[in-house]
Amino acid sequence: MERILVIGANGQIGNELVDALVAQHGADNVIAADIGPRSLFGARRYEPVDVLDSNAVAHCIENYGVTQVYQLAALLSVTGEQVPLKAWTLNMNGLLNILEIARERGQSGKPLRVFWPSSIAAFGPHTPAVDTPQLAVMDPTTIYGISKQAGERLCEYYFSKFGVDVRSIRYPGIISYKSPPGGGTTDYAIAIFHAAQRGETYPCYLGPETTLPMIYMPDAIRATIELMDAPAERVRIRSAYNVAGLSFNPRELAQKIKQYLPQFGISYEPDSRQTIADSWPHSLDDTYARADWGWHARIGLEQLVLDMLANIKAPRCELHQAA
Ligand code: SER
């Protein structure tokens, strides 16, 4: 029986991952943790834990007999550029604390399987942008991307040096409706749906042809759990796996939204986030994930747009219903 701790449970991924893990393992076996107050989602157990407080995390793991940790607490690319030292400290020390706890527990016969998210932000302007291979030049330009690249190296190091069973995915931009957009360069692809449903023209901070790798949340959650459930010997990559969902640019996304909301309009007002997006891949080659643990994406643009529009309700409709 697994006992699972999700750190960063209030964030975009954590929020939905907790639900999925509760469905799989039962509410008693999933402990949601984050700084700040409880805001739960199905898990009965919540612990206010700061991942930077290594002792508190270690106590939580010991008390609950935790066997798997998802360490999701991080600052994203745009927020990170506003507070680079804070982003570096949280993103790196958070991971290091968990890896150290896993190393120590492994030595005392209590192995801990660890998941930590990497990102397309670990790539940079000299990375081949189309069908970016698993092994490629990585020269990230944001503090977020630098922390992800360094984190990947740490994961591989703790695996090969200490046998820590750590697993990771280079997430594309994750699109979802349960959390508000915020903090990421790829978040235009969430904000656009909120604007569309409010009947507003969306001022897009990326140019129309800025193609980026994206993934819809149900695919991202499935990838995460499939990787964590894979037998250890199948997980040959211990830095982080390329995982492809779909790729599109703002013009293509807006066109698809217009098919369902013909009055929707978009304007293009690129800002500093354009430079970040321009340094990232357009699409990913996920051959290793497919070969090693059977990954394949299921959700394309049509389904994504329909589902987002169905779940992000138009305020005017709500008012209408309430009247
Ligand atoms: N979605 C993230 C960001 O835009 C990338 O991992 O910062």
Side-chain angles (χ1 to χ4, degrees), residues 76-77 119-120 144 171 173-174 183-186 280:
L76 288 180
S77 60
S119 160
I120 54 168
Y144 173 70
Y171 286 122
I174 301 179
T185 304
T186 56
W280 291 354

Side-chain angles (χ1 to χ4, degrees), residues 128-132 209-214 246-248 277-278 280-284:
V130 176
D131 289 336
T132 301
E209 305 302 326
T210 312
T211 299
L212 289 168
M214 301 283 190
L246 67 167
S247 283
F248 56 77
D278 287 343
W280 291 354
H282 304 329
S283 56
L284 302 177

Side-chain angles (χ1 to χ4, degrees), residues 1-5 29 31 45 57-69 105 110-112:
M1 190 191 69
E2 300 294 339
R3 185 60 68 81
I4 301 168
L5 176 65
N29 293 318
I31 302 103
R45 296 179 162 178
V57 177
H59 278 129
C60 184
I61 288 171
E62 180 63 28
N63 288 345
Y64 283 104
V66 168
T67 58
Q68 295 186 7
V69 175
R105 288 184 74 83
K110 298 175 185 169
L112 194 62

Side-chain angles (χ1 to χ4, degrees), residues 66-84:
V66 168
T67 58
Q68 295 186 7
V69 175
Y70 291 77
Q71 176 0 47
L72 306 176
L75 289 187
L76 288 180
S77 60
V78 178
T79 318
E81 290 311 287
Q82 289 152 12
V83 283

